[in-house]
Amino acid sequence: MVHLWVRAEQRPAEQRVGVTPEGVRAMLEAGFRVTVEDSADRAIPISAYQATGCDIAAAGDWQEAPDDVIVFGLKELDPDGPDLRHRHIMFGHAYKGQADGPALLRRFRNGGGALYDLEYLTEPSGRRVAAFGYWAGFAGAAVGMKVWAAQQAGPTPGPERIGVYPGRDALVAELQSELDQALCSGSSQPDMIVVGALGRVGSGACDLAAALGLKVTKWDMAETAHGGPFPEILNHTLFVNCILATPDVPVFVPKTAPDGPRKLTVIADVSCDPSSPYNPIPIYNESSTFDAPVTRVAQGPQPLDVTAIDNLPSMLPVESSRDYAAQLLPSLLTLNRMDSGVWARARQVFDTHVAQV
């Protein structure tokens, strides 16, 4: 019997989970064994998992689980932990030259375990079977609006931090209140341009704009095919970038933009890849966080602020968990056939990279 062990997340304040109680129930009915660790942070309470009849364990007990257990989490493990003897499903961040990647792969090699990276669970076409993109776009545009609202309130960049919300409606209601307050104080109605609007991430950003009644310009490959930079972007209040940095992506906003004429005051870079040599927004060089969400790149009466947070879906942990889990569940239900399909493709990627360590 295949045994899936859902671990408590080790990353501070991470409330998301990759399988819901409904998914656990479906796996039990399909003949899998499931253990879920208790967690003080998880947005979905442990009582909802207990009601499915699955096994419950204390946080961190996966380290003592039998070797044949498949350990499932979302975010990275403690980098100072032991060698890894289990098969792990998670976002490993180990294949693209990340600083901690080689050490993680060595832990798997030394322990005899294997990584099935969630980013590399793909269809034969290469499309990922599950992604948090929609809620990353929704949350990224929301943070951009909060940065704009802070600009209307005073000269200090803000907000001071970004919180976690119980749901989409609570976030939209707060943003609507901030927007109304700014407009009542004499600010002009902001508008938004979304680049990558036809993708998962871009559709989330556009839906946030629609929820607030904002005018939004939707760009995708057709509008950027002739190469940048694009002065049209500078003629919007808020720019939301939903395109990953790759060699064929043009520069959207040039280094000279902060010092030139523009309407633009906020950039929300959902793709968040400032260290890439192909960064299409080369006016900032470090990511933002929930505790420090803003980088000001131009001062004065027409400021320019950048926000670029790499775990945006954590802002809406319930919706993002349910959406992602629904996408992933069909693949989890094939864990008894890990020698084929998405699992075999992910294992091949792991084997290739661990051999290079």
Side-chain angles (χ1 to χ4, degrees):
M1 178 185 297
V2 175
H3 186 178
L4 182 70
W5 191 292
V6 183
R7 61 175 171 83
E9 295 295 328
Q10 297 185 351
R11 185 170 181 167
E14 179 58 74
Q15 298 185 23
R16 291 175 295 169
V17 63
V19 60
T20 62
E22 294 80 5
V24 168
R25 186 174 287 108
M27 295 193 72
L28 295 173
E29 292 173 352
F32 294 91
R33 182 180 175 186
V34 181
T35 296
V36 179
E37 290 186 356
D38 195 3
S39 170
D41 296 321
R42 189 182 294 130
I44 300 175
I46 195 64
S47 59
Y49 291 95
Q50 287 174 317
T52 69
C54 72
D55 298 324
I56 305 296
D61 277 2
W62 64 267
Q63 297 184 65
E64 307 303 324
D67 289 351
D68 62 349
V69 159
I70 301 170
V71 181
F72 179 29
L74 289 178
K75 302 303 291 183
E76 61 270 22
L77 297 168
D78 181 352
D80 297 322
D83 292 335
L84 299 167
R85 57 190 173 84
H86 296 102
R87 291 168 290 177
H88 281 257
I89 303 170
M90 65 178 178
F91 287 104
H93 306 297
Y95 301 155
K96 295 181 178 179
Q98 293 95 332
D100 294 333
L104 177 64
L105 292 174
R106 279 192 290 271
R107 291 169 65 189
F108 277 111
R109 182 193 63 193
N110 296 342
L115 169 64
Y116 293 81
D117 196 304
L118 289 163
E119 186 176 353
Y120 295 84
L121 297 184
T122 62
E123 304 288 357
S125 65
R127 180 178 172 84
R128 286 164 61 176
V129 300
F132 282 103
Y134 176 88
W135 292 105
F138 194 94
V143 175
M145 281 300 300
K146 293 187 78 64
V147 174
W148 174 84
Q151 290 176 345
Q152 312 315 301
T156 304
E160 292 185 359
R161 70 179 309 277
I162 297 296
V164 174
Y165 291 81
R168 170 195 181 279
D169 292 347
L171 172 58
V172 170
E174 182 175 290
L175 289 170
Q176 187 65 60
S177 176
E178 292 175 354
L179 175 61
D180 292 344
Q181 182 176 353
L183 296 179
C184 288
S185 299
S187 297
S188 299
Q189 177 85 2
D191 61 355
M192 183 183 298
I193 181 169
V194 177
V195 177
L198 298 182
R200 286 168 167 163
V201 180
S203 64
C206 291
D207 284 355
L208 183 280
L212 296 175
L214 302 183
K215 179 182 177 182
V216 58
T217 300
K218 301 177 182 181
W219 276 18
D220 210 90
M221 293 178 64
E223 291 80 8
T224 59
H226 63 280
F230 302 99
E232 299 92 335
I233 292 175
L234 303 181
N235 293 327
H236 293 76
T237 311
L238 172 60
F239 165 39
V240 184
N241 176 44
C242 303
I243 300 295
L244 290 172
T246 61
D248 57 341
V249 171
V251 171
F252 296 144
V253 177
K255 292 182 179 180
T256 57
D259 301 319
R262 53 182 164 77
K263 178 182 177 182
L264 185 70
T265 63
V266 179
I267 296 174
D269 188 3
V270 181
S271 297
C272 188
D273 202 0
S275 63
S276 170
Y278 310 112
N279 178 16
I281 309 171
I283 64 172
Y284 79 107
N285 55 21
E286 61 181 1
S287 298
S288 309
T289 66
F290 278 28
D291 291 328
V294 183
T295 297
R296 175 150 289 181
V297 296
Q299 304 287 340
Q302 187 77 352
L304 182 56
D305 291 327
V306 177
T307 180
I309 299 173
D310 69 359
N311 59 328
L312 284 163
S314 298
M315 191 174 170
L316 292 165
V318 175
E319 281 99 340
S320 61
S321 292
R322 293 193 181 282
D323 182 22
Y324 186 82
Q327 297 175 55
L328 186 62
L329 181 59
S331 296
L332 293 180
L333 290 170
T334 67
L335 279 171
N336 54 351
R337 302 190 300 275
M338 295 188 79
D339 58 348
S340 63
V342 296
W343 304 108
R345 287 189 286 274
R347 179 60 186 258
Q348 184 177 23
V349 176
F350 167 75
D351 287 342
T352 297
H353 283 85
V354 79
Q356 298 171 358
V357 174

